[in-house]
Amino acid sequence: MTLSSTRYSIHLFVLVLMCYGIMVTANVSSIHRYSFFVAMGYLTICHISRIYIFHYGILTTDFSGPLMIVTQKITTLAFQVHDGLGRRAEDLSAEQHRLAVKVKPSFLEYLSYLLNFMSVIAGPCNNFKDYIAFIEGRHIHTKLLEVNWKQRGFHSLPEPSPTRAVIRKLCMTLVSLLLFLTLTKSFPVTCLVDDWFVHKANFLTRLCYLYIVMQASKPKYYFAWTLADAVNNAAGFGFSGVDKNGNFCWDLLSNLNIWKIETATSFKMYLENWNIQTATWLKRVCYERVPWYPTVLTFVLSALWHGVYPGYYFTFLTGILITVASRTVRNNYRCYFLSSKALKVVYDVVTWAATQLAVSYTVAPFVMLAVEPTISLYKSMYFYLHIISLLIILFLPIKPHAHIQRQPQTLNSVNKKKKD
């Protein structure tokens, strides 16, 4: 182990030990707040020192990735302990009640959950109760009981094998690696600041080229997340139950759904299937819990967690604007396209194209990192999507999102409705 590797490992152990100290000493009513601010604060300090002191503008493989995963797990567990020991059962949503941890973990359990070899490098984040069930050998049995395996046509308790899922995911990692070595190398992000792109290409060409370059930047994420999922499945972790066709599912820890990403017809659908476990973490520790501005605060937390490169903040602030605008358009006009299959197909095709172009425009700063190339790109695109989104928000009525409820429904709220 090199000196730099030892120094990087120390960061992980320092954060884990600090937060375990909070876990055993803090009051359960505040344990989630202390753990959250310490973990996020330490991660942010490390991001700042790594980027602005050592190598700004250069992405390197170091301790920040594992530290980001550990931060997710520390805060996830802290909130689940708070739910289990610091809140009344009737104040919890069904999901919070299911995941609530009613006994503080031992030091060994805490270290094992945060630093196990399967997820310490690339994740994904998982729930403490699922991990402990896996360690104790009851993970698959528990999931089968949740889906009521007898009603699924099984006469005896089945023993699902992850072999097929692992082979399929390893094949996907191989395809992703080949795409990375060919497509990504052929269309690097630096093309977006070339003189030809900025000054000579017409607007339509820029739109298409931006889409291609952003598509070419995806295979590395597909590779890393699918490989991490396969590693966990190979160890026997990640079983989620049985689907409607009676097939065993090993997607409990899956971080993406490539088909749904590439065919997404809304910004929301795209985000729900990209970096799924991080999106779930953001929902559970922020979106469902903050009393005001949930969308804004969730995007801000996501940016902070990713790092302190300016490009991240351009992406997430633009994302807020586009999320609100796309939701407004959908709520105002989608109903007019549901009367026939032909209209629905037209709507899906148009919204697919708009979603893919919007995502490409939004995430470009995320991969460009710095301010100068981001401003150069957006100027060459005339800030068109910022302007369109602002006009939509200003001039279209914002209708309530009737069928989606942000705050999780608790037992108390159900009882109140019954009394009413």
Side-chain angles (χ1 to χ4, degrees):
M1 183 180 287
T2 64
L3 183 61
S4 60
S5 299
T6 303
R7 187 174 69 248
Y8 293 159
S9 300
I10 289 172
H11 282 292
L12 286 175
F13 285 109
V14 166
L15 178 58
V16 168
L17 292 174
M18 284 195 303
C19 289
Y20 186 71
I22 293 171
M23 178 65 66
V24 297
T25 59
N27 190 291
V28 290
S29 63
S30 303
I31 195 170
H32 57 306
R33 295 192 190 94
Y34 295 149
S35 297
F36 179 85
F37 285 114
V38 169
M40 283 301 302
Y42 193 86
L43 176 64
T44 302
I45 291 170
C46 289
H47 277 317
I48 292 170
S49 64
R50 181 180 72 92
I51 293 169
Y52 291 107
I53 296 176
F54 296 107
H55 32 64
Y56 176 80
I58 303 174
L59 280 177
T60 58
T61 302
D62 60 10
F63 68 96
S64 64
L67 199 63
M68 290 162 71
I69 298 299
V70 166
T71 297
Q72 284 189 348
K73 289 185 176 183
I74 286 170
T75 51
T76 295
L77 178 54
F79 274 91
Q80 291 171 355
V81 169
H82 169 67
D83 289 341
L85 299 175
R87 297 176 67 191
R88 297 181 303 172
E90 56 267 29
D91 292 334
L92 303 176
S93 68
E95 183 184 57
Q96 289 169 349
H97 188 272
R98 178 176 63 84
L99 298 175
V101 176
K102 300 185 183 298
V103 178
K104 289 185 178 182
S106 67
F107 185 54
L108 180 59
E109 288 174 331
Y110 196 77
L111 288 179
S112 178
Y113 171 63
L114 297 179
L115 301 176
N116 67 83
F117 75 94
M118 300 179 298
S119 60
V120 70
I121 300 297
C125 179
N126 50 73
N127 297 304
F128 181 75
K129 289 179 78 171
D130 288 334
Y131 178 74
I132 292 300
F134 160 69
I135 291 296
E136 294 177 353
R138 50 185 177 82
H139 166 60
I140 293 176
H141 183 212
T142 300
K143 293 298 177 184
L144 286 171
L145 290 177
E146 286 179 4
V147 298
N148 201 341
W149 57 274
K150 287 185 179 180
Q151 291 184 2
R152 299 285 178 153
F154 298 104
H155 300 293
S156 61
L157 188 65
E159 296 183 6
S161 169
T163 303
R164 182 177 296 180
V166 171
I167 292 174
R168 176 174 56 81
K169 290 172 184 178
L170 288 178
C171 290
M172 181 56 65
T173 60
L174 180 60
V175 172
S176 300
L177 181 61
L178 292 175
L179 288 174
F180 174 76
L181 294 174
T182 55
L183 189 63
T184 306
K185 300 296 183 182
S186 301
F187 298 96
V189 178
T190 52
C191 293
L192 300 178
V193 292
D194 285 351
D195 182 68
W196 169 81
F197 181 89
V198 174
H199 299 293
K200 297 177 182 178
N202 60 51
F203 182 71
L204 186 60
T205 302
R206 289 173 191 161
L207 277 180
C208 296
Y209 203 73
L210 175 61
Y211 173 72
I212 293 170
V213 170
M214 290 299 101
Q215 287 293 100
S217 69
K218 291 179 183 177
K220 64 179 180 182
Y221 298 104
Y222 290 172
F223 171 82
W225 289 339
T226 307
L227 181 58
D229 192 14
V231 168
N232 280 274
N233 289 170
F237 189 27
F239 180 70
S240 59
V242 184
D243 66 16
K244 61 182 179 181
N245 297 319
N247 300 314
F248 298 125
C249 299
W250 289 84
D251 58 0
L252 181 69
L253 305 178
S254 294
N255 230 345
L256 75 169
N257 185 319
I258 296 176
W259 173 254
K260 289 185 177 180
I261 287 171
E262 300 301 343
T263 60
T265 56
S266 71
F267 207 70
K268 178 178 179 291
M269 181 180 174
Y270 194 104
L271 295 179
E272 284 177 347
N273 292 284
W274 176 269
N275 205 353
I276 296 170
Q277 302 306 324
T278 294
T280 302
W281 170 71
L282 290 167
K283 182 188 78 169
R284 289 174 179 166
V285 305
C286 183
Y287 190 82
E288 291 181 345
R289 298 182 188 261
V290 295
W292 20 253
Y293 304 120
T295 300
V296 174
L297 291 177
T298 301
F299 272 108
V300 170
L301 174 59
S302 183
L304 278 172
W305 177 78
H306 278 91
V308 291
Y309 280 115
Y312 296 160
Y313 296 87
F314 275 102
T315 287
F316 290 111
L317 290 174
T318 303
I320 295 170
L321 199 64
I322 293 175
T323 298
V324 175
S326 60
R327 185 182 300 162
T328 302
V329 171
R330 183 181 179 85
N331 291 346
N332 277 276
Y333 295 109
R334 186 174 184 269
C335 58
Y336 299 113
F337 292 87
L338 302 179
S339 57
S340 70
K341 288 186 178 179
L343 283 175
K344 183 64 166 60
V345 169
V346 171
Y347 177 84
D348 287 342
V349 170
V350 172
T351 53
W352 171 82
T355 297
Q356 299 301 320
L357 291 176
V359 169
S360 300
Y361 181 92
T362 303
V363 302
F366 190 94
V367 294
M368 299 176 82
L369 301 178
V371 174
E372 295 80 5
T374 297
I375 297 298
S376 173
L377 171 67
Y378 279 162
K379 283 176 67 177
S380 71
M381 306 293 290
Y382 310 113
F383 292 91
Y384 84 97
L385 205 51
H386 289 90
I387 295 170
I388 291 173
S389 298
L390 282 171
L391 291 174
I392 288 171
I393 294 169
L394 288 173
F395 293 105
L396 279 183
I398 299 179
K399 295 183 178 181
H401 215 37
H403 63 284
I404 292 182
Q405 187 176 11
R406 179 179 73 86
Q407 292 292 349
Q409 196 173 54
T410 64
L411 186 59
N412 267 345
S413 62
V414 172
N415 289 338
K416 285 179 181 178
K417 287 181 181 178
K418 287 181 178 178
K419 289 178 183 179
D420 294 340

